[in-house]
Amino acid sequence: MSKLPDLEGLAIFAKVVEMRSFVGAATELGLSKATVSKAISRVETRLGARLFNRTSRRFALTDAGKMLAERAARILAEGEAAENDALAQSATPRGRIRLAVPMSFGVRSVAALLPEFLERYPEISIDLHLSDAIVDLIGEGFDAALRIAVMPDSSLVARRLCAINRYVLAAPSYLAREGRPTHPLDLAKHKCLTYSYLHTADSWHFTGPDGEHVSVRPAGPLRVNNSDAVMPTLIAGLGIAALPEFIAADALATGEIEIILEDWQIPQAALHFVTPSAGPRPARIDALAEFLAKRLSKPSWVTCEEAKRKRLPKMVARDVAAGPRKRVKAKV
C-alpha cells in the first residue's frame, strides 16, 4: 500500500457526501458512476471499514463515514482553494453553492438578493435550501448556511452579520378582551402561539429590569414550524407570540399588533453566515460571504422603532377622536 494518502478517493468521497448520491457526484465531477464507486471501494479497502450503508432506495453514512466526512470535505475544499489560488490573477469564482437558509428569512430577505449575485458571478450557481430545521452542514453536504440563533460553541465557523431582535407580541383586540400581561408569569393564564424549532427547548426566557430571570412554558391553540404561519392567528387576536423583528415589523407599523412586556428582555439572536470549517474555502464561498455581509449587515426590514414612529401620527389621531381611554384590567 502506498504511503501517500488517497487524496483523490477522499475528495470523491466528500463529493458523494455532498451530493448524497453516487450518480450526482459522478455528474458533478464529470466522471463515470463506475469510477466513483471504485474510488469509494478503494478508500474503504484502505481503511478497512465501510463508509456507507447502501440499500436500493437510499444510503447513509456509517460511523466511520461520519468521522471521515468532515476531514474529507476539508481536503476537497483545500484542493479547490489551492487550484483557485494557482489560477492567474485569482480565478473567477465558479461552481455550485449549496446554501441552507431559514424559510421566512430566505423568502423575505435572501431571494431578492440572488439576481444581483448571480449577475455579478455568472459562473456560480446556487442550490438554495429553505427550511427552519437546523441542517447538518457536513453530513448533508451543505457549503454554507444562514442561521438566526445564539450560536453555541462548535466546529462550525460563524460570521455575525446583524442582530435579529425578538419581541413578545399581541393584537390590541386580544389585549382588550384578555387583559395585558405585566409579568412573564402572567403568560401561564394566556393563550400563546408557539414555534416548534425554538432553540430554548419550548420555554420562553426573560430577564427583568432588575436582573431577575424567569422562564415560562407557553401553551395555546397553535404550534407551528414556521413563524410566518403565526401571523394570521396573532393579528386575529387569538393569542400571544414571540417573533423576530423582521416578521413582525410590518404588522407593528400598521398597529395590527403591539409589543408587550416591554420591560422584560428575551434572548436576542443574530444572523450568522456559517461554514463547516476554518480551512481554505473555494472562491465562490468567499464571494457569497462577502456579498451577503454587505447586503445584510444593515437590516432591510422596518425596525420596530421605525414602526413605532410610523404609527405615532395615526395613534394620536385615533386617541383624539376616541377621547379618554378606559383601562382594561387584566384577568386574575
Side-chain angles (χ1 to χ4, degrees):
M1 182 177 70
S2 171
K3 293 182 179 179
L4 291 174
D6 186 353
L7 299 178
E8 180 186 51
L10 292 172
I12 290 174
F13 166 69
K15 185 60 69 173
V16 172
V17 173
E18 177 186 329
M19 302 299 297
R20 307 296 294 175
S21 165
F22 278 56
V23 174
T27 302
E28 184 81 357
L29 295 171
L31 301 173
S32 68
K33 182 178 180 294
T35 299
V36 170
S37 296
K38 287 179 181 178
I40 298 302
S41 297
R42 190 171 68 239
V43 174
E44 289 178 331
T45 299
R46 188 181 182 103
L47 299 179
R50 293 183 63 83
L51 300 176
F52 299 102
N53 287 319
R54 296 185 279 272
T55 68
S56 59
R57 293 187 177 182
R58 63 187 296 271
F59 71 88
L61 288 169
T62 63
D63 289 342
K66 290 177 181 178
M67 291 179 61
L68 186 61
E70 181 177 358
R71 290 187 175 181
R74 190 179 304 136
I75 288 170
L76 177 59
E78 288 176 350
E80 290 180 333
E83 287 190 352
N84 283 338
D85 290 343
L87 292 173
Q89 301 299 319
S90 181
T92 301
R94 59 171 59 87
R96 188 185 67 147
I97 299 174
R98 294 197 72 215
L99 176 66
V101 181
M103 176 70 75
S104 292
F105 189 80
V107 172
R108 290 166 174 263
S109 300
V110 176
L113 300 177
L114 294 182
E116 180 186 355
F117 179 80
L118 295 173
E119 287 180 359
R120 181 177 297 186
Y121 299 102
E123 296 189 47
I124 294 178
S125 63
I126 301 289
D127 182 351
L128 182 63
H129 176 86
L130 296 174
S131 173
D132 285 1
I134 300 298
V135 300
D136 178 356
L137 264 64
I138 297 167
E140 298 181 47
F142 285 97
D143 298 298
L146 289 175
R147 286 189 178 169
I148 299 173
V150 179
M151 290 298 296
D153 292 335
S154 72
S155 61
L156 303 177
V157 177
R159 177 176 179 177
R160 188 181 187 276
L161 303 184
C162 70
I164 301 287
N165 295 318
R166 295 173 63 242
Y167 299 95
V168 182
L169 306 153
S173 60
Y174 178 90
L175 299 174
R177 186 179 66 253
E178 303 291 344
R180 178 183 292 270
T182 59
H183 190 282
L185 294 180
D186 294 341
L187 295 173
K189 298 177 289 185
H190 284 268
K191 299 173 182 177
C192 296
L193 314 173
T194 57
Y195 175 60
S196 56
Y197 288 128
L198 192 68
H199 66 275
T200 52
D202 294 330
S203 295
W204 293 357
H205 301 288
F206 295 84
T207 302
D210 59 354
E212 178 187 4
H213 295 285
V214 175
S215 295
V216 297
R217 293 184 66 85
L222 181 65
R223 178 181 172 87
V224 301
N225 66 356
N226 177 263
S227 293
D228 264 317
V230 167
M231 291 303 298
T233 304
L234 179 65
I235 292 171
L238 299 180
I240 293 172
L243 294 174
E245 188 173 41
F246 69 89
I247 288 178
D250 288 343
L252 279 164
T254 61
E256 294 172 289
I257 58 175
E258 58 186 89
I259 299 171
I260 62 173
L261 296 173
E262 293 184 78
D263 292 336
W264 291 82
Q265 297 294 319
I266 57 178
Q268 301 303 301
L271 176 67
H272 298 85
F273 183 83
V274 182
T275 51
S277 71
R281 299 187 304 198
R284 62 182 180 273
I285 307 300
D286 287 332
L288 180 63
E290 293 305 318
F291 177 84
L292 292 178
K294 289 180 181 179
R295 295 298 181 276
L296 297 175
S297 60
K298 294 183 179 179
S300 58
W301 54 89
V302 178
T303 67
C304 288
E305 289 303 317
E306 290 172 327
K308 290 177 185 177
R309 289 197 295 271
K310 288 185 176 183
R311 281 188 60 204
L312 187 58
K314 296 180 182 179
M315 293 171 65
V316 171
R318 180 195 65 195
D319 291 347
V320 169
R325 287 189 186 179
K326 293 182 179 181
R327 287 185 172 272
V328 179
K329 292 184 178 180
K331 290 183 177 181
V332 293

